[in-house]
Amino acid sequence: MNIHKTVVVLLALLLAGMAMVPMVSADDNLSTDLSSQSKGQQKIPEVEFAGISEDLQTTFPEKTGPLTISDSIKKYDLISMDAKKLKEQLLANQKIPVRIKGTNFFMNLHEDTFYPSDETGVYTFSGYLENSIDGVRVTDSEVHLTLDDSGVIGKISPDQFTYWYIDLIETNDFSRSSGPIQYVYYSGNVEQKISPMGEDRYVMLSSGESKPLNELSKEELTQYLADVQERQKDLEATRGESDWYNVNILVVCDNEMYSRYSNWVLRAQSVLSDVNAAMSFNDIRIQLVPTYDATKRYDLSNNFNAASPLQVFQQYVNNAYLNSKSADIAMYLSGNQFSTCIGASYGYDAGSTLGRHSVMMYEAATGGGYGANPQERANVFAHEVGHLFDADHQTAPNQGEFYNRATTYILNGGTLHTLMYSFVTTDPTYYSSDNLYGDFYHDNARRLRETKAVVAGYY
């Protein structure tokens, strides 16, 4: 008999009372080597979109202040992009020429129509690269671009482990009128910071009280495990592991997140696109269909509690509210600093619907570690949502499943971590699996497949 539990994951910060992760000026990190330029050597841009992007490295615009780019990104290019033109070409089903480090490709993309693009004006396109010479698909390549008329956020990968990220700079620091400024960086040019967490898993008791798992009394633990086991008996026949399931997710922001960016939905959807890619991989076959909601932003900001962001979120966006929005689960993207965590989640609870909420910091953590670059944001989002489907850490006591574990794997002599490992990393966004990035005893993907029908049925 499998035993499930409700889990709150708090990706704990290593240091307390620390300063904000410093942002760096483009002057310090230009990928152009000025000394080689002076010798007549030509720099090869990281990524170029034919007729759409302009490299700003050789015509660096005057600025009046620093760019808000995390110091974890050590090298990048600055570009400007005609996002509206790119959107029009993609909606017309055109293949887009792209050059990556001097190699020419075509992007063959389709619109992900389950996003509410007509309502929000934010579009996501996914697909792959084709060889520019013979049009043959590049094996294991993937592209995900999210854009509105103001800019583009996304990633391009010629293989499963090499990524180029595109992000939008939210700044008025430039005396330049030709459009928004973007930056592009190669994943290998990010400082590999790992933020471990402590013992921070919580459960939601049937009384409605949430407590750390390690603080339950013997009687509380016995009753909690019995409740979960009893609920599980009714779920054995609900699993459709090979089928696709749409899970409706309510994505919520606070006023800090809403006010800091020109379009918070563009930011949210770009991260969600990466999470959906992870949940479609390895036959997991989960599609998170979002509804974006900023109406609770003042409640979340005015009542913000840095030590208990998850509990405040559940108070103001409760299950009745989720049901009114036709949502199965919810994610709160916060522009505030959490004091004890980076992300948190009430995990899967065998269909009791107690565990439907998750939260994460969208901004960099104090004192370093979590730099809030696109890779880390996607990994935290996917980690926390993974817990709502009962995916668990590399060490996961008090459960019946022997396989529901994260793990590490070796690539090119380096050790990488799968998504549910108890660290925030910049490693690729993959859940552990028996047939890839895991083994028989480390298979979070299997657990997601087993629970997706239940989670999709919360509403």
Side-chain angles (χ1 to χ4, degrees), residues 199-267:
E199 178 54 53
D200 49 18
R201 287 169 292 171
Y202 282 57
V203 300
M204 177 70 75
L205 301 176
S206 57
S207 64
E209 180 185 7
S210 61
K211 295 181 67 174
L213 183 62
N214 62 345
E215 292 182 10
L216 295 182
S217 67
K218 181 178 179 180
E219 292 76 16
E220 287 174 329
L221 180 60
T222 299
Q223 184 61 52
Y224 163 68
L225 294 176
D227 288 344
V228 173
Q229 184 174 10
E230 184 63 30
R231 286 191 294 270
Q232 182 63 25
K233 291 180 180 179
D234 299 326
L235 299 176
E236 298 298 330
T238 66
R239 298 170 178 169
E241 297 182 27
S242 63
D243 299 327
W244 275 97
Y245 279 85
N246 286 347
V247 175
N248 296 329
I249 182 169
L250 186 70
V251 184
V252 178
C253 70
D254 52 27
N255 195 49
E256 287 75 15
M257 175 80 185
Y258 182 87
S259 302
R260 187 167 293 136
Y261 299 101
S262 58
N263 188 349
W264 80 276
V265 171
L266 173 65
R267 295 278 171 177

Side-chain angles (χ1 to χ4, degrees), residues 6-7 37 68 130 160 185 271 279 314 340 414 418:
T6 302
V7 181
Q37 270 196 334
T68 51
E130 293 180 352
Q160 292 182 358
Y185 71 93
V271 180
M279 289 197 159
Q314 190 178 49
T340 58
T418 57

Side-chain angles (χ1 to χ4, degrees), residues 131-383:
N131 190 302
S132 64
I133 298 175
D134 53 20
V136 174
R137 178 174 180 168
V138 178
T139 304
D140 293 330
S141 65
E142 62 174 317
V143 181
H144 303 279
L145 300 179
T146 296
L147 64 157
D148 62 7
D149 288 350
S150 69
V152 182
I153 305 177
K155 67 179 182 181
I156 303 174
S157 175
D159 54 53
Q160 292 182 358
F161 299 98
T162 305
Y163 294 93
W164 276 263
Y165 286 83
I166 306 159
D167 205 351
L168 179 65
I169 295 173
E170 302 276 354
T171 181
N172 294 318
D173 292 338
F174 291 96
S175 57
R176 182 182 179 86
S177 60
S178 63
I181 307 300
Q182 312 239 185
Y183 67 96
V184 180
Y185 71 93
Y186 166 55
S187 57
N189 290 328
V190 175
E191 182 179 355
Q192 296 296 311
K193 297 180 179 180
I194 296 179
S195 301
M197 65 180 186
E199 178 54 53
D200 49 18
R201 287 169 292 171
Y202 282 57
V203 300
M204 177 70 75
L205 301 176
S206 57
S207 64
E209 180 185 7
S210 61
K211 295 181 67 174
L213 183 62
N214 62 345
E215 292 182 10
L216 295 182
S217 67
K218 181 178 179 180
E219 292 76 16
E220 287 174 329
L221 180 60
T222 299
Q223 184 61 52
Y224 163 68
L225 294 176
D227 288 344
V228 173
Q229 184 174 10
E230 184 63 30
R231 286 191 294 270
Q232 182 63 25
K233 291 180 180 179
D234 299 326
L235 299 176
E236 298 298 330
T238 66
R239 298 170 178 169
E241 297 182 27
S242 63
D243 299 327
W244 275 97
Y245 279 85
N246 286 347
V247 175
N248 296 329
I249 182 169
L250 186 70
V251 184
V252 178
C253 70
D254 52 27
N255 195 49
E256 287 75 15
M257 175 80 185
Y258 182 87
S259 302
R260 187 167 293 136
Y261 299 101
S262 58
N263 188 349
W264 80 276
V265 171
L266 173 65
R267 295 278 171 177
Q269 190 159 304
S270 67
V271 180
L272 184 56
S273 174
D274 286 342
V275 179
N276 268 323
M279 289 197 159
S280 65
F281 194 72
N282 254 332
D283 295 326
I284 296 173
R285 295 184 176 179
I286 295 171
Q287 187 167 266
L288 300 179
V289 180
T291 296
Y292 301 106
D293 188 354
T295 61
K296 296 290 186 178
R297 65 184 187 274
Y298 293 114
D299 288 332
L300 293 173
S301 291
N302 294 338
N303 298 281
F304 179 72
N305 185 328
S308 304
L310 183 63
Q311 288 79 0
V312 172
F313 180 44
Q314 190 178 49
Q315 177 183 352
Y316 288 96
V317 183
N318 57 28
N319 281 0
Y321 189 79
L322 295 189
N323 293 339
S324 74
K325 297 294 183 178
S326 304
D328 300 303
I329 59 176
M331 168 60 80
Y332 163 30
L333 300 180
S334 179
N336 282 302
Q337 287 284 300
F338 303 165
S339 62
T340 58
C341 65
I342 297 168
S345 174
Y346 289 122
Y348 175 86
D349 194 22
S352 75
T353 72
L354 293 176
R356 297 169 68 178
H357 295 72
S358 55
V359 302
M360 66 171 283
M361 282 170 46
Y362 191 81
E363 305 305 318
T366 56
Y370 175 60
N373 62 54
Q375 297 163 265
E376 292 169 313
R377 285 168 173 160
N379 285 353
V380 174
F381 194 130
H383 183 112

